[in-house]
Amino acid sequence: MNVRLLGTLVVAGTLVIGGALQPFIDNARLHASAGDNTVPSQTAIDPPAPAGVGSHPVSQNASTGVGAENPTSDLPAEWKKGYGPVDQAAPLDFSNQPKSVPKNYVAGQLYNVQVYKKYDYAGLLGQMNYFATSLGVQCTYCHNAGNFAYDTATKKIARTMALMTNNADNKWISPVHSDYPNYKVSGQVGCITCHAGKPRMDVKYNVIPVQYLQYNHKTTKQVGYAVNSMYSASKSLGVNCLFCHNSADFLTLQYYPTNQIATRMWKMVDDINHRWLPPNVKAVTCYTCHQGNKWPAQMVAASLDQTPVTPIAAHPEVHLNPGAHTAPGPGMQPVAAPGAQ
């Protein structure tokens, strides 16, 4: 057999087998990372997830000031039990509570504040009011009315969500604001961004893991998943394909800033679902925040400041015609198409 032909067949066979095995490889990597204590993309501003959620134990983060003084290892069990409203008649068990939780609670004093440490009593009360409005609930949904410092199952989940939104803002949203100033939208993600006045969110236009979108040699089945995910993104943002893609080259993916931002958002959704939510809960999609809008309909001043703000694009025109704004900027360096010199 001709040596060149044999070499070509070997290369082709390798690609085919690699494409077929890639889903299993990705799955193995995912499970392996779940038992690891590091995340490749973790940065100094990335607070750890609570113990039992994702792969990180909770610890104080010097750069953000967030963390939990009493890490709990039973959080997944709390998720499985469901959450809120809190049973106000249930007896209080102080054996598994932080030392900062008093048995004799005195109203007007701060106890057991683990995330929103920058606020005084009045300021923290304002943040709690925003939480209640964002979820459409009363204080007793998370708290025991006789001892607001007491850690209920629902309150511990709410604390995890506060850490999660702070992580999303620091690790994903703020870098987009910095790297793509013309495309930034005022505000950060908070409770109201996803919940929009409801304690439980509807899951619409579910998406596939980002690993499939990033893998260049897809099997036919994976290509189908990717196309379905593009449809879900389109419906979630109320746009068509040309909002992110150049119709002359769908594959290079380097021309439009909107495409590059979307790639980051895919990774953010994947990070949230795999790192911050329990294995049996995969609730976050593009629709969760966008709900049919180019940018999220509701945002907050900051993750640790839940004051609602109206999302306003710095330059709305670039969202209407992204192809007209392709000049390179920080974080956006065009990459040549495959084979180009």
Side-chain angles (χ1 to χ4, degrees):
M1 182 180 290
N2 187 287
V3 176
R4 292 184 178 179
L5 177 58
L6 178 60
T8 302
L9 290 175
V10 170
V11 172
T14 302
L15 291 175
V16 170
I17 294 173
L21 293 179
Q22 187 63 31
F24 301 99
I25 295 173
D26 291 338
N27 188 55
R29 287 175 178 171
L30 181 60
H31 286 288
S33 64
D36 194 359
N37 288 325
T38 59
V39 171
S41 58
Q42 187 178 3
T43 66
I45 60 172
D46 187 7
V53 176
S55 58
H56 293 271
V58 174
S59 61
Q60 187 71 24
N61 185 291
S63 60
T64 60
V66 301
E69 62 183 54
N70 182 43
T72 59
S73 60
D74 60 341
L75 191 54
E78 304 296 352
W79 281 94
K80 293 175 184 177
K81 293 177 184 177
Y83 55 89
V86 171
D87 181 3
Q88 300 297 316
L92 301 185
D93 178 10
F94 290 92
S95 64
N96 62 353
Q97 292 291 306
K99 295 180 180 179
S100 55
V101 176
K103 294 184 179 179
N104 299 313
Y105 177 81
V106 178
Q109 297 186 26
L110 291 178
Y111 307 94
N112 192 25
V113 178
Q114 299 186 23
V115 176
Y116 290 87
K117 295 184 177 184
K118 70 176 184 178
Y119 293 103
D120 57 15
Y121 184 81
L124 186 63
L125 213 60
Q127 294 302 308
M128 295 297 106
N129 182 63
Y130 291 137
F131 290 159
T133 302
S134 298
L135 274 69
V137 298
Q138 300 297 319
C139 303
T140 50
Y141 190 82
C142 291
H143 291 276
N144 180 288
N147 190 330
F148 278 82
Y150 187 85
D151 274 353
T152 67
T154 311
K155 182 183 171 186
K156 287 192 286 186
I157 293 172
R159 182 181 291 131
T160 299
M161 296 295 97
L163 291 169
M164 180 190 72
T165 55
N166 191 61
N167 174 71
D169 282 334
N170 285 328
K171 184 176 180 180
W172 302 104
I173 305 300
S174 291
V176 166
H177 285 179
S178 174
D179 293 344
Y180 304 89
N182 286 347
Y183 286 79
K184 71 176 182 179
V185 176
S186 61
Q188 302 275 39
V189 296
C191 301
I192 197 170
T193 309
C194 296
H195 284 272
K198 296 179 294 184
R200 294 176 183 264
M201 302 178 300
D202 296 328
V203 179
K204 290 188 177 181
Y205 309 120
N206 205 2
V207 298
I208 65 169
V210 72
Q211 290 91 335
Y212 282 162
L213 296 177
Q214 297 301 304
Y215 183 55
N216 293 327
H217 303 288
K218 297 181 176 67
T219 65
T220 302
K221 186 176 181 180
Q222 289 173 331
V223 170
Y225 287 158
V227 171
N228 287 340
S229 291
M230 294 297 103
Y231 172 80
S232 76
S234 174
K235 296 292 288 184
S236 296
L237 275 67
V239 297
N240 60 31
C241 304
L242 300 185
F243 183 70
C244 290
H245 290 277
N246 184 322
S247 60
D249 186 351
F250 271 83
L251 299 180
T252 305
L253 309 180
Q254 299 296 333
Y255 300 124
Y256 287 5
T258 42
N259 186 284
Q260 298 176 19
I261 294 172
T263 299
R264 296 191 188 194
M265 296 298 97
W266 281 116
K267 294 180 179 179
M268 179 185 74
V269 168
D270 199 58
D271 183 51
I272 290 173
N273 279 326
H274 288 101
R275 183 163 177 260
W276 290 93
L277 300 182
N280 62 325
V281 176
K282 294 289 179 287
V284 176
T285 70
C286 302
Y287 185 85
T288 305
C289 292
H290 286 268
Q291 300 180 18
N293 301 284
K294 290 186 179 70
W295 47 84
Q298 302 185 75
M299 302 190 82
V300 298
S303 54
L304 297 183
D305 179 359
Q306 294 283 307
T307 307
V309 298
T310 301
I312 300 175
H315 296 276
E317 70 277 4
V318 303
H319 293 271
L320 297 175
N321 184 19
H325 301 267
T326 57
M332 178 199 157
Q333 299 299 325
V335 176
Q341 297 298 325

